[in-house]
Amino acid sequence: MLIGGGETASDVVEEWCDNVYRLVWSIPRGMHFFPKFAKILPNRQPQVLDKASSRTMKFVAPFTKGKPGLAWVCKWTTNGSLLAYQGHGISEWKNDAKFFHSFINKNCHVLDRVDYHHCVPKGAIESVKGTKVHFCDGTEEEVDIIIQCTGFKAEFPMLPAEIKTVPLTHNYKYLFNVEDPTLAFIGYVRPVIGSLITIAEVQSILPRKFSQDV
């Protein structure tokens, strides 16, 4: 059984589905799935979805007011249906999070593995007793291995208590500590769409300029 709904979990699912008889995939809080590439126009090659649709979406829904149009494109390009919610239509993984208000799994092609026989989708876990896993929907599964792809919690035990207890979201521009502006946290902003490495590189420019001006 695999627990987690991120892209690492998707990679593990793809690898394991070719090597195990049955795989239970638990995504406790649901997930939006999103295609990396999509064929937006019939006469064009598939493009990175956000890049391909950015001009249209900027016109339909400016960034200051969200991007509801992109939710429509996501549904259409993921599985060809406007009726399937959150890019997958799998009831076990449905949640109430608004589009772009939570992380999005951009490996939607892994959905082809979900067939309720070989790869079984499940929601939150209620308890684990021995080899039996009981889910909140009242069902249970017998498993022999549990892999957790649930992320990590950032901790900084070397910092003073008044700094390390402040949530990173309270930093100026999600970067500079308000109490000590010489302290910057680079690489802790996760873009909904786009590369973490790219945004970390952009973040690093501001502390460098700040240190040169001091």
Side-chain angles (χ1 to χ4, degrees), residues 31-98:
M31 179 60 64
H32 287 260
F33 280 82
F34 195 88
K36 287 184 178 179
F37 299 91
K39 192 175 180 65
I40 303 297
L41 299 174
N43 60 337
R44 292 286 189 90
Q45 293 295 320
Q47 295 177 279
V48 177
L49 182 56
D50 196 43
K51 177 181 178 181
S53 61
S54 58
R55 292 182 181 179
T56 303
M57 292 306 107
K58 187 175 181 180
F59 174 76
V60 174
F63 290 99
T64 54
K65 297 182 179 179
K67 301 175 76 174
L70 194 53
W72 179 87
V73 174
C74 175
K75 292 179 181 180
W76 169 44
T77 56
T78 301
N79 48 25
S81 172
L82 296 178
L83 302 178
Y85 42 78
Q86 298 181 210
H88 53 74
I90 298 172
S91 60
E92 290 84 355
W93 294 344
K94 185 178 182 180
N95 61 29
D96 296 325
K98 295 180 180 179

Side-chain angles (χ1 to χ4, degrees), residues 22 89-92 113-121:
R22 180 179 169 87
I90 298 172
S91 60
E92 290 84 355
R113 300 283 191 169
V114 180
D115 57 5
Y116 286 86
H117 298 286
H118 188 59
C119 182
V120 183

Side-chain angles (χ1 to χ4, degrees), residues 176 182 204-214:
F176 291 104
T182 64
S204 66
I205 296 174
L206 196 55
R208 178 175 60 84
K209 288 186 175 181
F210 176 78
S211 63
Q212 290 174 344
D213 295 337
V214 173

Side-chain angles (χ1 to χ4, degrees), residues 11 14 33-36 106-113:
D11 292 340
E14 288 201 273
F33 280 82
F34 195 88
K36 287 184 178 179
K106 297 181 285 294
N107 283 355
C108 71
H109 57 275
V110 76
L111 296 174
D112 294 336
R113 300 283 191 169

